[in-house]
Amino acid sequence: MRTALGYALLGLLARRPSTGYDLTVRMHRPIGYFWTASHSQIYPELARLQSAGLVRHTVVDGAGPRPSKLYEITAAGHAELREWVTTVPEPESVRSATMVRTYSLWLVEPDAAVGLVERLREQHTRRLADYAEQDAGFGSPGVAGRPADFAAYATLRAGMRSEQAALEWCDWLLGELRGADGQASKD
Amino acid sequence: MRTALGYALLGLLARRPSTGYDLTVRMHRPIGYFWTASHSQIYPELARLQSAGLVRHTVVDGAGPRPSKLYEITAAGHAELREWVTTVPEPESVRSATMVRTYSLWLVEPDAAVGLVERLREQHTRRLADYAEQDAGFGSPGVAGRPADFAAYATLRAGMRSEQAALEWCDWLLGELRGADGQASKD
DNA sequence: AAGTCCATGTAAACGGTTACATGATTGT
DNA sequence: ACAATCATGTAACCGTTTACATGGACTT
């Protein structure tokens, strides 16, 4: 078993062959909206995948100055990716600095707390709008559509659900805080 | 500005003084359900916080063999924590290996995909039940209750919302996959 | 006798981010 | 001239995880 990054790259290459640069572009916007990586991580990982026989490359004369390497997934790569995909993962530990903030939110004035949550709400609204836009572009492919498209769509759905949940939480918390604020200013 | 771990520790010490060991226990179950750390990270961080004047310790004769250090937050620590809490954070980048899996889910048979999502669903159900139990123990303190309790309760609410969202997503995906499975087996 | 709890630390390895390094082509 | 795009790599740093290290008191 290797790292999530390795499987993310295999997942991209399973859709179509790419250069390291192309993979960098594709992974800068999160793959499936839930993983990012930059080129300094991608190039060494491609080398590792290759020495494990999961990808291979052919040198092509691209638009760049140096010859570029077009990577494609091998049969072994396909097999290992397929196997990993259905192994049941350990429950993921969620990390959120925002929740660390929330845990200490009682230390500040309700007004300041409201200000913070309002801005968090804006962030989630913006991201949800961004997702909704891509959703519209997708045209909601059912499982009937191209399988790879449906899989990407499923991750988009997950992103939208989680942003909606975050928005609902912001609204709930704002209601609680504003109630307290109102009471406090009447005291 | 320091790391989230530093603020997490300050957030715990703002509630009550603790030894490093006690903080390790408190942070093994995630603080606010959204951050964990182990002792090997906590002891050095406490030393760093102390050299920055944000915490101080008194040596006490505890139950252990070696003298233990009881840490408490300083006025400066309180001030820095309060300031950090309301600084608006950069939008957090979400990382989820499960979504990397989902992105490549089209490579496996619908049956295998269903099996995976069913087990994911179980994990989320279990975690939600765990949260619900703690929710019952909390007795849902409004903002009227003790402020520190309300803040912890707010993070619990966020955890419950996000688990509910994950469950809904699992159910949606199972519906889609089972529909396709049924079609496929009729082909 | 063995295991758990209290209690504190260090060291090695690993993954991710940021910065350093190079350079040709195309468009403003 | 200047910036952006294509194109590949290395190095330094930082946070997290896992393992190493020690050892007294109490319970089974």
Side-chain angles (χ1 to χ4, degrees):
Chain A
M1 238 248 285
R2 50 190 59 250
T3 63
L5 172 63
Y7 294 113
L9 292 174
L10 289 176
L12 289 170
L13 291 174
R15 283 145 200 266
R16 59 183 149 93
S18 291
T19 63
Y21 182 84
D22 187 27
L23 289 167
T24 301
V25 173
R26 291 169 81 188
M27 287 217 61
H28 199 243
R29 306 239 133 251
I31 164 184
Y33 315 95
F34 285 100
W35 206 274
T36 52
S38 56
H39 79 277
S40 62
Q41 233 190 321
I42 289 169
Y43 287 113
E45 183 63 33
L46 283 171
R48 261 173 256 133
L49 290 171
Q50 175 146 19
S51 68
L54 307 183
V55 302
R56 86 174 81 83
H57 77 259
T58 50
V59 178
V60 293
D61 234 56
R66 265 172 297 288
S68 58
K69 299 175 182 174
L70 187 67
Y71 283 91
E72 57 187 323
I73 193 168
T74 63
H78 244 106
E80 189 155 326
L81 177 57
R82 234 183 283 118
E83 205 205 312
W84 176 74
V85 160
T86 46
T87 58
V88 180
E90 295 290 295
E92 290 182 289
S93 65
V94 198
R95 277 173 187 279
S96 163
T98 297
M99 287 303 136
V100 175
R101 264 171 234 268
T102 304
Y103 191 71
S104 291
L105 205 57
W106 61 284
L107 290 169
V108 302
E109 298 298 308
D111 284 9
V114 165
L116 172 73
V117 182
E118 275 172 344
R119 267 168 256 177
L120 289 176
R121 198 187 180 285
E122 278 167 39
Q123 288 181 0
H124 290 299
T125 305
R126 233 173 289 137
R127 202 176 291 189
L128 183 57
D130 194 55
Y131 285 168
E133 213 173 294
Q134 287 178 264
D135 184 32
F138 251 117
S140 303
V143 229
R146 289 204 314 163
D149 285 351
F150 176 71
Y153 175 67
T155 64
L156 178 60
R157 281 274 118 200
M160 291 178 78
R161 286 265 177 201
S162 92
E163 290 302 320
Q164 278 161 5
L167 269 176
E168 282 163 30
W169 177 79
C170 286
D171 287 335
W172 166 79
L173 185 52
L174 283 172
E176 295 279 327
L177 291 170
R178 285 202 178 112
D181 196 27
Q183 285 181 320
S185 49
K186 271 170 212 164
D187 278 1
Chain B
M1 237 249 284
R2 49 192 57 249
T3 62
L5 173 62
Y7 294 113
L9 293 174
L10 289 176
L12 289 170
L13 291 174
R15 283 145 201 266
R16 58 183 151 93
S18 290
T19 63
Y21 182 83
D22 186 27
L23 289 167
T24 301
V25 174
R26 291 170 82 187
M27 288 217 58
H28 200 242
R29 308 237 133 252
I31 164 185
Y33 317 95
F34 285 100
W35 205 275
T36 52
S38 56
H39 78 278
S40 62
Q41 233 189 322
I42 289 169
Y43 288 113
E45 183 64 33
L46 283 171
R48 260 173 257 134
L49 289 171
Q50 176 146 20
S51 68
L54 307 183
V55 302
R56 86 173 79 83
H57 76 261
T58 50
V59 177
V60 293
D61 235 54
R66 264 172 297 290
S68 58
K69 300 175 181 174
L70 187 67
Y71 283 91
E72 57 188 322
I73 192 167
T74 63
H78 245 106
E80 189 155 326
L81 177 58
R82 234 183 283 118
E83 203 204 313
W84 175 75
V85 160
T86 47
T87 57
V88 180
E90 296 290 295
E92 290 181 288
S93 66
V94 198
R95 276 173 189 278
S96 164
T98 297
M99 287 304 136
V100 175
R101 264 172 233 269
T102 304
Y103 190 71
S104 291
L105 205 56
W106 60 284
L107 290 169
V108 302
E109 297 298 306
D111 284 10
V114 165
L116 172 74
V117 181
E118 275 172 344
R119 268 168 254 177
L120 289 175
R121 198 188 181 285
E122 278 166 39
Q123 288 181 0
H124 290 299
T125 305
R126 234 173 288 136
R127 202 177 290 190
L128 184 57
D130 193 55
Y131 286 168
E133 214 174 293
Q134 286 178 265
D135 184 33
F138 251 117
S140 303
V143 228
R146 289 205 311 164
D149 286 350
F150 176 71
Y153 175 68
T155 65
L156 178 60
R157 280 274 118 199
M160 291 178 78
R161 286 263 176 202
S162 91
E163 290 302 320
Q164 277 160 5
L167 269 177
E168 283 163 29
W169 177 80
C170 286
D171 287 335
W172 166 79
L173 185 51
L174 283 172
E176 295 279 327
L177 290 171
R178 286 201 178 112
D181 196 26
Q183 285 181 320
S185 49
K186 271 171 212 163
D187 280 0

